[in-house]
Amino acid sequence: MSNNANDNIIIKKSETSKIDSVDFENLSFGNVFTDHMLICDYKQGIWEKPVIQPYEPFLIDPSAKVFHYGQAIFEGMKAYKDGNDDVWLFRPDQNYERFNKSAKRLAMPEVPEAVFMEGMKKLIELDKQWVKNEVGSSLYIRPFMIATGPGVVAAPAQFYRFMIILSPAKAYYSGEVKVIVAEHYSRAANGGIGAAKAAGNYSAQFYPTKLANEMGYQQIIWTDDATHTRLEEAGTMNVFFRINDTLYTAPTSERILDGVTRKSLIAIAERENIKVDVRPILVEELIAAAENGTLQEIFGSGTAAVVNPIVGFSYKEKYYELPKQENSLALQLKAMLNNIQYKLAEDTFGWTVKI
């Protein structure tokens, strides 16, 4: 193992690469990782120098507070390669800003921009060959932070570890998606951590989603915790409803994640003169639109799938099939966003950042 260091980051390159053993045509999302990872530890109130090293397991104390009190946050991002073999990030400033908002909400230290941004760029530079030059292929980027401080006292830890790992990804497609509108379970509550990308938010969804799966549905459209009358998110994604030719989506709040893909789709729609109405949407509005034929599309938006069309939904044991769309607005918006990400269209917003 060879060591190189610059002023900010220690780099320990792997002597071998596992890239030749990877079947890039048959990737399962989030299960294959590149040769290197970034680690940066927080001790005694100070961030140490980041280290990029070979991807490998590491030891952690059994009493680490991440295990006992759930201090764990993460982000999801992607890098894309254009026709000139240049690699681009998409709106990384938004992910960095949201990461530190999550950190503050969970009483964790904020990560310095130099560690997050420069560390990520150098890590991607080192594993650049893992980013394939074709539309649909990308490099999924997972920055995360956990509490490594020992002890089972119910208080914030004194030691933390920030890491970035990378995973090559193909186009994310899960087939037809049918959803249930939640009547009992909630994703988040006012005053809680719904707006943070905290690990606990996602584990709390597993059980109600399992129940939905057993009934033949892939995901849940979450409703508000107090009355279950307002539509909020779809699974782990923000959600849009097209009624006639207007796109409706709920405003962000303490309960709803400020999705980067969500805000990007809104900006593109407004540029294309597509009417967007950001306001609370009632379940009764959705049912009425489905029954009178004005409900055209429902789709989720997020980093992994970008846009995930929903073919139908169930509410109070009644199923509503959505009409087939020859000119799906969801897929049009997805194509326009992908074209910006892969540098196939002009980035009029200044969202892309070259590695």
Side-chain angles (χ1 to χ4, degrees):
M1 188 183 296
S2 62
N3 290 13
N4 292 315
N6 59 24
D7 291 341
N8 301 311
I9 301 171
I10 298 169
I11 299 176
K12 302 177 181 179
K13 291 185 180 180
S14 176
E15 293 178 350
T16 60
S17 175
K18 59 195 176 196
I19 192 169
D20 290 338
S21 66
V22 176
D23 181 0
F24 282 88
E25 295 304 314
N26 296 287
L27 289 169
S28 176
F29 184 82
N31 286 320
V32 174
F33 297 93
T34 65
D35 293 321
H36 299 89
M37 63 185 186
L38 179 139
I39 294 176
C40 188
D41 287 320
Y42 179 88
K43 297 178 180 178
Q44 309 300 330
I46 297 172
W47 284 102
E48 297 183 341
K49 185 172 287 191
V51 178
I52 293 175
Q53 65 180 60
Y55 185 97
E56 61 186 6
F58 59 89
L59 295 175
I60 187 169
D61 194 292
S63 71
K65 294 199 175 184
V66 64
F67 299 137
H68 302 274
Y69 302 110
Q71 279 187 291
I73 61 172
F74 68 94
E75 274 297 324
M77 313 165 62
K78 282 183 177 179
Y80 306 85
K81 185 174 283 186
D82 67 15
N84 298 317
D85 272 351
D86 291 322
V87 178
W88 299 80
L89 295 169
F90 181 73
R91 307 191 75 176
D93 58 315
Q94 299 296 305
N95 295 96
Y96 171 68
E97 179 182 322
R98 190 172 64 186
F99 188 87
N100 277 339
K101 284 182 179 178
S102 298
K104 288 177 68 175
R105 182 60 184 84
L106 271 74
M108 303 171 83
E110 294 184 48
V111 175
E113 185 173 2
V115 173
F116 189 103
M117 291 295 195
E118 295 309 312
M120 178 170 55
K121 290 176 182 179
K122 289 190 179 296
L123 179 61
I124 295 171
E125 282 178 8
L126 200 58
D127 284 344
K128 181 179 178 180
Q129 71 273 24
W130 290 78
V131 194
K132 297 305 177 182
N133 179 8
E134 58 183 60
V135 174
S137 292
S138 60
L139 188 67
Y140 184 76
I141 306 163
R142 173 54 65 92
F144 64 99
M145 179 164 51
I146 59 174
T148 54
V152 293
V153 176
Q158 299 299 311
F159 303 92
Y160 296 87
R161 172 163 287 188
F162 170 71
M163 296 185 64
I164 304 176
I165 55 177
L166 308 174
S167 178
K170 291 286 286 184
Y172 187 92
Y173 179 70
S174 57
E176 289 194 345
V177 175
K178 298 179 181 180
V179 300
I180 290 180
V181 175
E183 299 176 52
H184 172 70
Y185 292 103
S186 299
R187 177 188 173 274
N190 283 332
I193 58 173
K197 281 191 76 73
N201 283 343
Y202 294 79
S203 60
Q205 298 184 56
F206 293 162
Y207 177 68
T209 302
K210 176 178 178 288
L211 297 179
N213 295 162
E214 291 171 352
M215 297 172 65
Y217 298 90
Q218 287 70 47
Q219 280 294 354
I220 297 171
I221 291 184
W222 304 102
T223 49
D224 69 285
D225 63 300
T227 67
H228 295 290
T229 60
R230 295 189 294 275
L231 300 159
E232 301 207 321
E233 292 194 341
T236 59
M237 309 175 80
N238 296 116
V239 64
F240 288 82
F241 306 90
R242 177 188 169 195
I243 299 176
N244 288 318
D245 286 321
T246 299
L247 280 180
Y248 294 87
T249 192
T252 57
S253 68
E254 288 182 313
R255 301 186 308 276
I256 299 176
L257 191 70
D258 185 14
V260 177
T261 304
R262 170 191 175 275
K263 66 178 70 175
S264 302
L265 292 175
I266 291 172
I268 292 172
E270 291 174 341
R271 184 193 68 184
E272 299 298 313
N273 295 315
I274 298 167
K275 187 176 179 182
V276 180
D277 195 350
V278 179
R279 65 167 177 82
I281 306 103
L282 300 177
V283 175
E284 63 183 26
E285 290 182 80
L286 179 68
I287 302 301
E291 291 180 341
N292 66 29
T294 57
L295 178 62
Q296 304 299 313
E297 296 180 79
I298 305 174
F299 59 93
S301 69
T303 299
V306 182
V307 165
N308 199 342
I310 293 167
V311 301
F313 70 94
S314 173
Y315 181 65
K316 292 189 180 298
E317 300 184 353
K318 182 175 180 180
Y319 180 69
Y320 299 85
E321 187 83 21
L322 271 67
K324 302 292 184 183
Q325 296 291 333
E326 291 185 7
N327 298 299
S328 165
L329 191 55
L331 296 183
Q332 290 178 47
L333 289 170
K334 179 179 181 178
M336 286 186 272
L337 182 54
N338 279 160
N339 285 342
I340 293 172
Q341 291 168 330
Y342 288 98
K343 307 303 287 185
L344 298 173
E346 183 183 0
D347 176 11
T348 58
F349 299 98
W351 287 338
T352 50
V353 176
K354 189 175 179 180
I355 294 293

